[in-house]
Amino acid sequence: MNDSVTAAPVIYWYRQDLRLADLPGLSEAAQSASVLPCYVHDHSAPHDWALGGASRWWLHHSLDQLASDIAGHGGQLVLLQGETCRVLCGLVRASGAKEVHASHAAEPWARSLQRELAGSLRQLGARLVLHNGSLLFRPSEIRTQSGGPFKVFTPFWRRCRGHTAPAEPDGISKHLKFFGGDVEGVDIDALGLLPSNPNWATGWESHWQPGSEGADSAMQQFISKALSGYAEDRNIPSVQGTSRLSPHLHFGELSPNRLWHTITALARAQPEQEGQAEKFLSELGWREFSYHLLYHFPTLTESAFKPEFDRFPWLGSAELLQAWQRGQTGYPIVDAGMRELWATGYMHNRVRMIVASFLTKHLLIDWRSGARWFWDTLVDADLANNTCSWQWVAGSGADAAPYFRIFNPTLQGKKFDASGAYVRRWVPELEALPKKYVHEPATAPTSVLEEAGVRLGENYPQPIVDHAAARQSALDAYQSIRD
Ligand code: FAD
């Protein structure tokens, strides 16, 4: 073992940035010494926001892939578990490292943790160096003219687009050399991230390839197959019209900068794709907006952005919540979405909006209950995007949809799943219903239902609420907080 790799290393603390390329903190760490890469699985630090089941599944596979990428470069990813500060300070003492590099986090609990860690390291004569590894722009860079945070998306995005472009992705640092000393970590299975009994993630490998290689191929596939029709197809849940990059972006397997520059360069080379590329970049903009909002308004996960919504008279029926979670509402597009979520850890964006609107407006169930369910079941569960999107749909968020615009789930189904292909895929009980009734089986004549094998109330539920009555109750409830 040569001296350069056994001299005191610099620690790279992986968080939601599980990659080797385009990682500013890793590149800078590699400039000064050999790098000791580690990941700390800490159950207690996130408090109420410990990883949900689907995220744990993803994390297991993503860490596994990262470990093998690092091994391919002659290093070892050290997996640790326990209280982050205690564990990392132990690693600093054992290795003699004077610096710990990492990416900034946006979650309020993670920001407190990084402050606490910086203090503990200081007492050991070491320091924490944080880098912008997960966002296009630092929240402190994007401000209104008066210096405050943006609360409306369009001017926010205009300011981002007028700002100096995000840093060019720089691949894997040519200085990168991993630490060669012996450091004891735990085996990945000891983290206990995978579901066991029952294993509800059976078959998920056919839907997803966690890790940077999977991220790369998802990006390439999107560019070659879906980008050219993105602006139109992104609303059709039965076709793969979007990138499905959200879990890769959440876990940082792909840098937003790389995605931005790849799409921008493509639009420059193929001007006919410019409109589609712009639309896609603006969705990355919504991700950015959500992160910046959570950064500036850290209570958003618990409190409404518009405070009057904290007085909203939610009904909170446990029975209705369960029907929604299980995809048994009697509204086919809602049930299809909830079942896609359970079966794959993902739901199409259009359908997320429909099911979230149905929960908060038709069932009058608090958006926080829906956000919790998504937190546990989405592979892309992301505190910033999930919180801001739920508040957006519920009407309580920044730049939210006006509350009185209440989706009619039947019309939404007919509009965005006109052939019924999405419903037929996820609600097989309705597979044989003709197109005319697949989004409203309750209106089908008995003979049609019989022929399709649908027995309402037996093998498929009657609608759990009446749309017109539910809509009126929602409007009355809204009026009560305005009064
Ligand atoms: P694409 O259309 O290909 O978009 C590219 C990327 O842009 C996405 O991967 C994502 O990072 C970002 N993006 C797209 N739409 C949004 C949006 N509305 N807000 C913020 N970022 C966006 N997204 C999450 O990543 N995690 C969540 O936990 C999450 N929860 C949501 C909850 C609700 C109720 C709703 C309505 C939306 C939620 N979204 C969430 C946003 C959006 O639905 C997903 O990002 C998108 O469906 C992911 O699919 P995609 O990667 O194919 O998207």
Side-chain angles (χ1 to χ4, degrees), residues 364-421:
L364 291 179
I365 291 177
D366 193 331
W367 61 269
R368 283 160 278 230
S369 302
R372 280 275 162 201
W373 182 252
F374 272 28
W375 183 254
D376 199 27
T377 51
L378 277 173
V379 283
D380 64 21
D382 181 286
L383 203 56
N385 286 353
N386 197 40
T387 302
C388 293
S389 299
W390 271 96
Q391 291 226 34
W392 186 88
V393 176
S396 63
D399 202 6
Y403 184 86
F404 50 83
R405 245 191 247 156
I406 296 175
F407 281 162
N408 176 330
T410 307
L411 296 184
Q412 287 282 312
K414 287 182 171 178
K415 181 167 178 193
F416 296 108
D417 183 35
S419 70

Side-chain angles (χ1 to χ4, degrees), residues 230 242-246 283 346 349 352 380 382 385-386:
Y230 180 73
T242 65
S243 69
R244 291 170 69 94
L245 281 168
S246 48
E283 294 306 320
Y346 178 86
N349 179 60
R352 290 187 204 202
D380 64 21
D382 181 286
N385 286 353
N386 197 40

Side-chain angles (χ1 to χ4, degrees), residues 31-43:
Q31 298 274 352
S32 52
S34 66
V35 177
L36 195 177
C38 70
Y39 181 86
V40 185
H41 185 53
D42 181 346
H43 297 285

Side-chain angles (χ1 to χ4, degrees), residues 22-235:
D22 316 320
L23 190 52
L26 187 64
S27 299
E28 195 177 312
Q31 298 274 352
S32 52
S34 66
V35 177
L36 195 177
C38 70
Y39 181 86
V40 185
H41 185 53
D42 181 346
H43 297 285
S44 57
H47 305 288
D48 287 345
W49 296 107
L51 290 182
S55 302
R56 290 162 69 92
W57 176 88
W58 190 286
L59 177 64
H60 175 97
H61 294 290
S62 191
L63 285 174
D64 209 24
Q65 168 77 46
L66 179 66
S68 94
D69 292 346
I70 289 176
H73 285 78
Q76 183 207 341
L77 174 65
V78 179
L79 296 176
L80 300 160
Q81 62 179 336
E83 245 174 74
T84 303
C85 285
R86 188 179 51 77
V87 165
L88 281 179
C89 287
L91 193 60
V92 162
R93 276 194 219 97
S95 65
K98 291 282 173 232
E99 283 181 3
V100 176
H101 289 254
S103 292
H104 273 290
E107 295 79 3
W109 66 264
R111 289 172 62 205
S112 319
L113 179 64
Q114 68 202 26
R115 277 192 296 274
E116 188 189 338
L117 178 64
S120 305
L121 290 177
R122 218 172 294 123
Q123 289 182 0
L124 296 179
R127 65 184 190 123
L128 176 65
V129 189
L130 292 171
H131 305 261
N132 180 22
S134 306
L135 289 174
L136 296 168
F137 306 98
R138 288 173 190 266
S140 55
E141 290 171 341
I142 306 296
R143 298 275 185 172
T144 60
Q145 276 189 342
S146 59
F150 281 96
K151 297 175 187 168
V152 177
F153 176 73
T154 304
F156 166 83
W157 192 231
R158 204 180 303 123
R159 176 62 54 87
C160 291
R161 299 301 323 249
H163 193 273
T164 318
E168 289 270 356
D170 59 357
I172 299 178
S173 164
K174 59 181 188 306
H175 301 290
L176 184 61
K177 214 179 286 150
F178 285 111
F179 183 58
D182 276 341
V183 183
E184 210 178 318
V186 300
D187 187 76
I188 191 159
D189 292 327
L191 302 182
L193 295 169
L194 292 178
S196 48
N197 195 10
N199 180 3
W200 38 257
T202 304
W204 278 20
E205 289 84 358
S206 65
H207 299 291
W208 303 107
Q209 187 192 348
S212 53
E213 227 176 272
D216 223 66
S217 70
M219 180 176 78
Q220 299 306 344
Q221 184 172 340
F222 172 65
I223 288 171
S224 62
K225 298 216 170 108
L227 178 63
S228 61
Y230 180 73
E232 302 77 34
D233 293 348
R234 62 185 289 275
N235 272 313

